[in-house]
Amino acid sequence: MVVATYSVTPERQKVVSFAGPYYIAHQDILVRAHDGSIKKPGDLVGKKVCSGQGSASGDRIEEQYGSKVNLIRLPGYGDCVNQLLGGQVQAVTTDNTILAGFAAQPQNQGKLKVVGTFFSNEIYGIGLKKADAKGVTAVDQALQAMFDDGSWRASLQQNLPQVPAETPPTIGKFDIPFHQ
């Protein structure tokens, strides 16, 4: 079972079964705290931007902006954050939950900020062995219980206070259109 910032994608659905979704994240941008030049995705034009190798976030930047953005891909987001702190890049882009975690780390507090501009839905599911219907049902039931009793929202507020505590997603609905 994979429980992480594991986005449901058509490619992954071919090889695993998904329970959930348990959260809808959004692609966002992380910048140095004093940088006011990046307020929306279009402000990345002409900038050095870092994303993880093979990430959907980097792919989205390439699709939308092509060579207008100097996209650098590094093995991990920690590497991107180090580049941002060192001034080698102007921004890091991935899911807002991941960026909020980096901004909240004690060594980064006051140095980084999440811009708060959403430009995608990243639907997080729990990956299980392909065709494990019994496992998917059990995990879905556990998630629904957390949604219903308020523990889902309480956990979000405790662990990721920087991201909006949205309405829990609908179990089994993985095709959520993005609206700006």
Side-chain angles (χ1 to χ4, degrees):
M1 187 163 61
V2 176
V3 182
T5 54
Y6 195 48
S7 297
V8 178
T9 65
E11 296 79 25
R12 289 177 179 161
Q13 286 178 312
K14 291 175 186 173
V15 295
V16 300
S17 292
F18 279 97
Y22 69 89
Y23 188 75
I24 313 278
H26 307 283
Q27 185 171 348
D28 209 328
I29 303 164
L30 184 71
V31 298
R32 288 184 295 280
H34 64 275
D35 186 347
S37 70
I38 300 173
K39 296 182 174 115
K40 60 187 185 305
D43 294 337
L44 297 174
V45 171
K47 304 272 197 311
K48 280 188 176 179
V49 179
C50 190
S51 194
Q53 288 178 346
S55 75
S57 300
D59 293 346
R60 190 169 291 108
I61 293 297
E62 285 182 337
E63 289 167 11
Q64 289 183 353
Y65 301 103
S67 63
K68 294 177 185 173
V69 171
N70 184 358
L71 182 65
I72 296 162
R73 293 186 183 248
L74 295 177
Y77 289 105
D79 301 318
C80 288
V81 170
N82 288 336
Q83 293 275 312
L84 179 61
L85 289 166
Q88 291 94 347
V89 300
Q90 286 77 41
V92 176
T93 187
T94 191
D95 300 356
N96 61 327
T97 52
I98 296 168
L99 299 176
F102 280 111
Q105 290 177 343
Q107 69 271 22
N108 296 336
Q109 287 184 359
K111 296 178 184 176
L112 301 173
K113 67 179 178 183
V114 180
V115 173
T117 180
F118 299 159
F119 53 107
S120 74
N121 284 336
E122 299 301 326
I123 301 163
Y124 291 171
I126 297 172
L128 294 120
K129 183 178 178 183
K130 188 71 177 168
D132 183 1
K134 188 175 179 181
V136 168
T137 298
V139 173
D140 282 347
Q141 288 173 347
L143 286 170
Q144 190 63 56
M146 291 175 65
F147 295 166
D148 293 343
D149 71 12
S151 59
W152 175 84
R153 185 174 308 284
S155 179
L156 274 178
Q157 290 171 339
Q158 178 182 350
N159 295 297
L160 286 172
Q162 309 86 346
V163 299
E166 300 176 7
T167 303
T170 302
I171 297 294
K173 186 172 181 181
F174 295 107
D175 60 341
I176 300 160
F178 178 70
H179 301 287
Q180 285 185 306

